[in-house]
């Protein structure tokens, strides 16, 4: 983590240079919130900003050079996703991708067919958007049930499906629990009933296989896979029936207007290329870290995982009895470990209690003592062992008082 300025802000608080040194040694266990951009990605982006600043729509040599970079990056994403039939658009991130997919669906809504099924554990960029369209009278939203293990309740889903359902919005992997949702089964049911299926694939990219056959559209974000922030992608199966959310200068074949940010696009493309080469190795590494975590907590009866099965090893939602997660996060921070109380996105909501864990049926007290540890390629087993040692120390010292 490097900073160009002497001082900088975190959560609105000025962190002076001295504390910045502490942060530079931090063990970063918040990779589901964002990852550190890969060094090669940063270098490539800098090179583009310095030497390839042309507008990809310009017809002179610099424009043509930018267009080539754009096409190359797109190819890198297409290769990672292994998609042949649909198209992939660059967006400003998965928030926009989800908004664009939902807008596209809203344009297909008719009086007889405007009911949509949504899982209540979707990212706010899905939940807030469908709720906005519902308030405008464009959608009728029906929430799906989630089981206590974090999986969508498929019996409930099947009972709610009928020919009048316009669309289903279910994510591939939950960002708070790491639970992999039954997307193959959902896709089959959607196909049988002529239902549009949009999948937020942000936390699944590079962790579970992406199969374009399953979806009508899917969202991705670069900063979760060692790429830059501010760029994402939207996979669309049927381009000819796509209604663009952002219109204007006609870039990206009119499907998403706006001058392409070539440095971000190049960074995202390179991150995808590296992911394609390394995804199995990264997965094994995360599995090793998860094993170290399980070993570490195996003799701590005061610690439990909130979701144990069908999860990716990268995301672990943990309950520590008797210690509030805000206290824990602060104590960890003092010891040089960054963890998250839930998702970075729900930290903006008023109650600041995870709606994902609520949907799984956990008590408010348990949720307030739960936190997320998310692994990335930069973590080591000894980082995990150190964290486990702190679990015990903190529980011994603050277990009762922490409440
Ligand atoms: N969906 C999920 C599941 C996410 O975890 C995130 C990032 N927190 C987003 C969507 C939004 O992605 P972005 O930050 O690229 O807008």
């Amino acid at each position: 983590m490097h900073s160009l300025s002497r001082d900088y802000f975190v959560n609105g608080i000025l962190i002076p240079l001295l504390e910045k040194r502490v942060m530079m040694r931090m063990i970063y266990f918040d990779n589901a919130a964002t990852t550190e951009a890969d060094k090669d990605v940063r270098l490539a982006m800098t090179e583009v900003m310095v030497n390839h600043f042309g507008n990809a729509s310009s017809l002179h040599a610099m424009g043509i050079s930018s267009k080539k970079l754009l096409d190359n990056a797109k190819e890198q994403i297409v290769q990672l996703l292994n998609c042949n039939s649909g198209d992939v658009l660059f967006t400003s991130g998965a928030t926009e991708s989800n908004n664009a997919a939902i807008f596209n669906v809203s344009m297909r809504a008719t009086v007889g067919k405007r009911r949509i099924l949504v899982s209540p554990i979707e990212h706010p960029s899905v939940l807030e958007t469908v709720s906005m369209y519902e308030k405008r009278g464009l959608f009728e939203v029906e929430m799906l049930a989630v089981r206590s293990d974090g999986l969508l309740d498929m019996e409930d889903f099947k009972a709610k499906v009928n020919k009048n359902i316009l669309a289903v919005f279910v994510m591939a992997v939950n960002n708070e629990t790491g639970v992999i949702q039954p997307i193959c089964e959902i896709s089959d049911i959607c196909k049988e009933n002529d239902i549009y299926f949009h999948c937020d694939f942000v936390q699944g990219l590079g962790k579970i296989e992406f199969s374009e056959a399953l979806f009508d559209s899917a969202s991705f974000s670069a900063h979760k896979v060692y790429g830059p922030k501010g760029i994402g992608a939207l996979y669309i199966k049927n381009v000819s029936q796509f209604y663009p959310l952002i219109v204007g200068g006609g870039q990206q074949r009119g499907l998403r207007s706006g001058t392409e940010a070539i440095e971000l696009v190049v960074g995202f493309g390179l991150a995808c290329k590296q992911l394609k080469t390394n995804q199995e190795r990264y997965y094994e590494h995360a599995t090793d870290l998860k094993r170290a975590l399980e070993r570490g907590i195996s003799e701590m009866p005061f610690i439990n995982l909130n979701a144990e099965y069908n999860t990716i090893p990268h995301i672990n939602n943990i309950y520590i009895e008797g210690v509030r997660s805000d206290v824990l996060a602060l104590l960890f921070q003092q010891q040089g470990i960054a963890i998250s109380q839930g998702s970075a996105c729900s930290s903006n909501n008023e109650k600041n209690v995870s709606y994902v864990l609520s949907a799984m049926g956990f008590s408010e007290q348990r949720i307030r003592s739960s936190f997320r540890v998310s692994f990335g390629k930069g973590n080591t087993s000894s980082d995990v062992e150190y964290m486990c040692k702190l679990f015990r120390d903190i529980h011994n010292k603050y277990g009762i008082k922490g409440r």
Side-chain angles (χ1 to χ4, degrees):
M1 283 174 221
H2 307 278
S3 172
L4 297 175
S5 61
R6 241 185 82 78
D7 297 324
Y8 66 111
F9 290 87
V10 169
N11 287 343
I13 303 161
L14 187 66
I15 309 283
L17 195 60
L18 192 66
E19 282 181 53
K20 194 173 84 178
R21 294 217 182 90
V22 175
M23 289 199 64
M24 285 171 80
R25 282 200 303 271
M26 276 208 102
I27 297 173
Y28 184 72
F29 282 142
D30 201 12
N31 290 277
T34 196
T35 53
E36 182 179 11
D38 194 272
K39 190 165 173 254
D40 289 345
V41 167
R42 298 195 305 251
L43 289 175
M45 288 174 61
T46 310
E47 164 67 17
V48 172
M49 285 180 80
V50 174
N51 291 319
H52 301 272
F53 59 85
N55 186 320
S57 299
S58 298
L59 296 176
H60 49 67
M62 289 195 60
I64 293 165
S65 144
S66 288
K67 177 75 170 66
K68 276 192 189 147
L69 291 170
L70 180 73
D71 291 345
N72 183 51
K74 184 165 165 178
E75 186 53 30
Q76 288 168 324
I77 294 172
V78 166
Q79 290 289 325
L80 174 66
L81 299 181
N82 197 18
C83 56
N84 308 303
S85 60
D87 201 354
V88 179
L89 303 181
F90 290 112
T91 63
S92 63
T95 296
E96 182 191 320
S97 302
N98 284 333
N99 270 263
I102 297 166
F103 173 78
N104 173 45
V105 169
S106 78
M107 294 295 280
R108 296 152 184 246
T110 59
V111 177
K113 195 159 174 162
R114 61 192 173 104
R115 199 167 182 79
I116 58 161
L117 302 179
V118 187
S119 100
I121 56 171
E122 293 300 295
H123 187 264
S125 56
V126 170
L127 293 177
E128 293 298 322
T129 312
V130 296
S131 142
M132 181 175 78
Y133 287 128
E134 185 178 39
K135 282 183 196 132
R136 282 197 213 153
L138 288 167
F139 284 160
E140 275 170 17
V141 179
E142 190 162 5
M143 286 293 166
L144 295 163
V146 174
R147 304 187 331 190
S148 57
D149 59 3
L151 275 169
L152 208 67
D153 182 334
M154 287 307 288
E155 291 314 308
D156 169 79
F157 178 74
K158 285 178 201 158
K160 286 174 177 161
V161 162
N162 60 57
K163 301 272 179 204
N164 294 328
I165 302 294
L166 173 66
V168 164
F169 298 100
V170 174
M171 65 198 341
V173 174
N174 183 264
N175 49 311
E176 289 194 33
T177 61
V179 172
I180 305 165
Q181 298 301 329
I183 47 178
C184 295
E185 208 184 337
I186 293 171
S187 170
D188 285 346
I189 297 171
C190 286
K191 280 182 193 150
E192 279 161 28
N193 291 279
D194 193 25
I195 297 172
Y196 184 105
F197 180 22
H198 171 73
C199 184
D200 176 335
F201 211 86
V202 168
Q203 300 287 352
L205 189 60
K207 282 129 193 169
I208 61 170
E209 196 192 336
F210 176 77
S211 167
E212 65 174 324
L214 300 181
F215 315 113
D216 291 295
S217 53
S219 302
F220 307 94
S221 178
H223 71 97
K224 311 286 181 175
V225 290
Y226 312 107
K229 293 169 188 53
I231 183 151
L234 177 67
Y235 164 81
I236 313 159
K237 174 166 282 160
N238 198 338
V239 173
S240 64
Q241 286 174 21
F242 181 74
Y243 296 92
L245 171 69
I246 297 184
V247 290
Q251 290 89 345
Q252 301 197 59
R253 297 196 286 131
L255 301 171
R256 198 282 188 183
S257 287
T259 304
E260 297 90 347
I262 301 300
E263 58 275 15
L264 297 178
V265 164
V266 165
F268 190 13
L270 187 54
C272 287
K273 183 176 179 222
Q274 294 189 339
L275 199 55
K276 187 162 170 69
T277 313
N278 298 311
Q279 54 190 338
E280 276 156 35
R281 195 164 57 82
Y282 290 169
Y283 197 94
E284 277 163 27
H285 179 61
T287 305
D288 288 344
L289 299 175
K290 168 109 185 186
R291 284 202 195 106
L293 173 70
E294 283 170 345
R295 263 196 317 274
I297 63 173
S298 62
E299 279 163 27
M300 298 183 197
F302 52 88
I303 289 206
N304 288 293
L305 293 176
N306 284 325
E308 274 192 82
Y309 308 104
N310 270 308
T311 55
I312 54 166
H314 311 69
I315 300 182
N316 298 282
N317 203 301
I318 302 173
Y319 165 58
I320 178 161
E321 194 188 306
V323 183
R324 276 180 51 157
S325 55
D326 52 354
V327 175
L328 184 93
L330 204 69
L331 294 167
F332 266 26
Q333 165 73 39
Q334 286 165 1
Q335 299 299 322
I337 297 184
I339 52 135
S340 164
Q341 281 171 254
S343 79
C345 303
S346 53
S347 69
N348 295 331
N349 77 24
E350 263 170 40
K351 232 177 147 199
N352 202 10
V353 169
S354 160
Y355 62 87
V356 174
L357 297 183
S358 296
M360 288 163 68
F362 290 117
S363 67
E364 191 170 325
Q365 187 202 43
R366 181 167 175 139
I367 298 172
R368 289 201 187 278
S369 293
S370 295
F371 59 98
R372 178 181 70 186
V373 170
S374 49
F375 299 136
K377 67 183 169 85
N379 298 130
T380 64
S381 296
S382 53
D383 291 343
V384 179
E385 282 155 17
Y386 174 57
M387 175 177 66
C388 290
K389 182 191 160 304
L390 286 182
F391 284 150
R392 191 177 286 286
D393 293 352
I394 289 172
H395 187 264
N396 288 347
K397 203 165 167 194
Y398 300 93
I400 309 299
K401 283 179 281 182
R403 281 205 173 278

